[in-house]
Amino acid sequence: MEALTRVVTLDDSRARIVDIRADLGVGDAALRVHGLSPTVSRETRDRVRAAIRNSGLSWPEGVVHLTASSAHPRSDVDLAAAAAAVLVTEAVPARRLTATALIGELGLDGTVRPVPDVRTRAIAAAAAGFTHLVVPATNAAEACDVPGLTTVPVSCLNDLVNWLRGGLTPAQRPESREGASPTASWTPEAWARLSPTAVRAAAIAAAGGHHTLHVAAPGTPTLLLPRLIRALMADLTDTEALEVSTWHFLAGEPAPDRSEHLRPPGVPLLPDDTIATVAGSLSRPGLPTLAHRGVLTVEDLPELSARIVEVLRPALENGTIGITSAAGAQSRPAGARMVFTARDCICGSVRAEKCRCSLAQRARYLARIPQWLLDRVDLFVREVTVAEPDPSLPSLESMREDVARARERAHSRWGAAPEPGAEIDYTKAIAGLPANAVRELEDAIRHGRITPRTAARCLRLAWTRADLDGRAHPDIADIRLTLSHRSGMLRLLRNPAPR
Ligand SMILES: [Zn+2]
C-alpha cells in the first residue's frame, strides 16, 4: 500500500509543489520521515505522531515511511504528512485528494496552525491544476477568491479526516480563531467516543488539580486524557499567562499565537528526553516548569529512567522543582496536573489481540512504576474510549461549567482553588465531614491500610468529587470510593487482568 499527498511549499517566496509519499513497512508502530532536513524531519515526525494520536485516530500498524520529493517544506508540510500517514493505513479514502494540495502546520493536540503566504501558494496550486486546497481555517480568507480553486478550511486534523470521509466542505471561516478554543478539536464524533469514566476522571483532575495514571492496553489512544483535562481547564488570567509565556520565552520557544496565549500549556515528556531537558538548568526551565499551570503528559512511564522519574518527585509533592548548580540554587514553579501513561505490557504490540505477554511479564513491567509515585497519584484510568457512544455523556461545555463551579466552591471554602501539590489541612478537611466518613478514614489509617499522607490525598479527592456534584461535603460513599479506587489500582498493577 502506498499513498501520495501534495503540499504547496515556498522556496525563496516562490511556490513549489512537493510530493509526500507514504509506504507501510513491517515493524513496531513508528513514523519515519525522509527527504527533509534532519531537524525538520524530527519535528514533523513528533507533531504528526502526536496530532494523530491526540485526534483519537488509531495509530497505523507497522512503520510508516514518509518521503518528501524535495527538502524545501518546513512545518507547512505537517498536514500533507499526516494525511499521507492516515491514507496509507486506509483509515480514510484517497478519492478526494486526487486534485487536492494541502498546507498547514499541526499542533501536538491536532489543531491546524496558520502558515505564511497562503495567497501565493493558492495561486500556484490553481496554476498547477489543483481544484482543491486544504488550508488552515485562520488563513482561509487569503485563499478564498482564487479562480478555479475551492478552499477547504480546517481547524483541526479531525476536520480534514471528516472531509476525506465524504463530509461537507467546511464553511469558510476567514476570521475564525477556533483553533485556539478548548472545544475546537472535539468534533461531536470524537467526543462521543470517550468513555464516561475517562470524562469524569478528567473533570476531577481539572477541578481539583489531581495527578492521573493511565494504564492502557496496546492500541488505546493515550493522549486523549491529557488533552481532555486541558480542554476542561479554564483560561489563564493575564498575570498567569504572562508568567507562563516568560518560562517559554526563557526556553527559547516561540510566543504562542495571540489567540492561544491564555490557554493552559500542554507539555509532553517522552522516554527519550534527557535529564537536562526534564530538570532544566539555571538558564533554561525544565519541562515541569514549562507545564506550570497546565498539563504535563509523562508518556510510557515504565520506560523512563529512575533518575528522571525522581526529578519529578518535588513537582508531584509540592508543585516546585529545584535547580542547583555551582552558581547557586533556585526553586521554580512546577504546578502542572500530571498525566502518566503506561502500556500494560512490554512487547509494544499495536493491538491487544497481538500481545503474547504473560501475566507475570506484564506484572513485572508495571512493577517498574515506583511505589512512591503511586502514593502521589490520585486518579487511575484504564479505558478512555468506548465502542458505542454513551448517550448519557454530558457535553464538553457543560463539563467545563461544572469544573469552573467546583473550583469556585473550593475557593470560597479554602480561600484558594486547589492546585497540584497544594497541601491540604487535614483538620480543616475533616471538619465538614459526617462522623461515619471520618471514622472510615481513620480506621484505614489505624489498620495500616493507608498512610496519613494517602488519607490526606483521599480526602482531597473526596472533596473534589463533592464540589463537582454540587454537594455540601463528601460523605462516607466518597471516602469508600476513593479508598477502593486506590486499592483497586494497586491490585491491578500487581496482578494484571487477563485480556
Ligand atoms: Zn504484550
Side-chain angles (χ1 to χ4, degrees), residues 383-407:
E383 296 304 330
V384 287
T385 54
V386 285
E388 283 300 315
D390 187 317
S392 68
L393 194 66
S395 71
L396 178 58
E397 289 71 20
S398 77
M399 292 302 297
R400 282 174 58 82
E401 284 162 18
D402 289 349
V403 167
R405 268 195 299 271
R407 290 184 63 76

Side-chain angles (χ1 to χ4, degrees), residues 140-471:
E142 297 171 59
C144 67
D145 60 350
V146 174
L149 193 72
T150 304
T151 49
V152 182
V154 290
S155 53
C156 63
L157 187 55
N158 273 319
D159 278 359
L160 173 65
V161 168
N162 290 341
W163 181 69
L164 292 174
R165 285 183 176 151
L168 293 176
T169 301
Q172 292 183 358
R173 290 162 289 189
E175 296 305 317
S176 161
R177 310 300 299 186
E178 278 151 315
S181 130
T183 55
S185 47
W186 293 100
T187 58
E189 198 189 16
W191 180 258
R193 287 185 56 231
L194 294 169
S195 79
T197 48
V199 173
R200 171 78 172 170
I204 292 175
H210 301 281
H211 305 303
T212 314
L213 172 64
H214 177 202
V215 174
T220 310
T222 50
L223 299 181
L224 280 177
L225 198 64
R227 191 176 144 220
L228 187 54
I229 295 171
R230 235 181 116 220
L232 292 173
M233 288 169 70
D235 279 350
L236 304 174
T237 63
D238 285 331
T239 319
E240 290 167 348
L242 182 65
E243 180 196 15
V244 167
S245 54
T246 306
W247 294 123
H248 285 252
F249 174 77
L250 282 175
E253 290 184 5
D257 199 282
R258 265 213 68 72
S259 59
E260 276 185 44
H261 82 291
L262 290 181
R263 293 301 302 147
V267 175
L269 191 167
L270 302 168
D272 49 10
D273 280 319
T274 61
I275 193 149
T277 310
V278 178
S281 61
L282 280 183
S283 57
R284 193 185 190 286
L287 296 180
T289 300
L290 294 178
H292 180 55
R293 300 196 184 282
V295 178
L296 180 71
T297 308
V298 182
E299 290 189 51
D300 290 328
L301 175 60
E303 303 287 333
L304 253 57
S305 78
R307 275 181 74 209
I308 287 189
V309 180
E310 195 60 41
V311 168
L312 299 175
R313 188 195 280 255
L316 276 161
E317 283 177 358
N318 56 31
T320 63
I321 188 163
I323 313 287
T324 29
S325 75
Q330 242 189 49
S331 172
R332 294 219 175 112
R337 286 155 177 76
M338 294 194 209
V339 180
F340 296 90
T341 75
R343 286 191 317 270
D344 68 357
C345 75
I346 195 168
C347 71
S349 291
V350 186
R351 291 182 211 292
E353 309 88 72
K354 300 220 161 170
C355 164
R356 297 284 172 267
C357 298
S358 69
L359 292 178
Q361 280 172 319
R362 289 170 56 201
R364 264 201 307 280
Y365 184 64
L366 290 171
R368 292 187 192 174
I369 303 173
Q371 179 67 39
W372 69 259
L373 190 141
L374 295 173
D375 286 341
R376 286 154 182 81
V377 161
D378 297 335
L379 294 158
F380 180 60
V381 176
R382 293 280 294 158
E383 296 304 330
V384 287
T385 54
V386 285
E388 283 300 315
D390 187 317
S392 68
L393 194 66
S395 71
L396 178 58
E397 289 71 20
S398 77
M399 292 302 297
R400 282 174 58 82
E401 284 162 18
D402 289 349
V403 167
R405 268 195 299 271
R407 290 184 63 76
E408 274 163 28
R409 273 190 205 103
H411 189 281
S412 60
R413 186 177 56 249
W414 310 118
E419 295 305 336
E423 285 282 308
I424 187 164
D425 184 327
Y426 189 82
T427 323
K428 262 201 234 165
I430 56 167
L433 260 64
N436 62 352
V438 178
R439 222 169 18 249
E440 187 84 12
L441 203 57
E442 291 184 343
D443 277 353
I445 303 176
R446 196 164 335 106
H447 294 125
R449 278 185 282 137
I450 52 170
T451 62
R453 175 202 290 274
T454 310
R457 299 206 73 95
C458 287
L459 259 179
R460 227 184 107 176
L461 186 60
W463 273 105
T464 309
R465 293 176 51 82
D467 285 338
L468 261 178
D469 297 342
R471 289 179 278 125

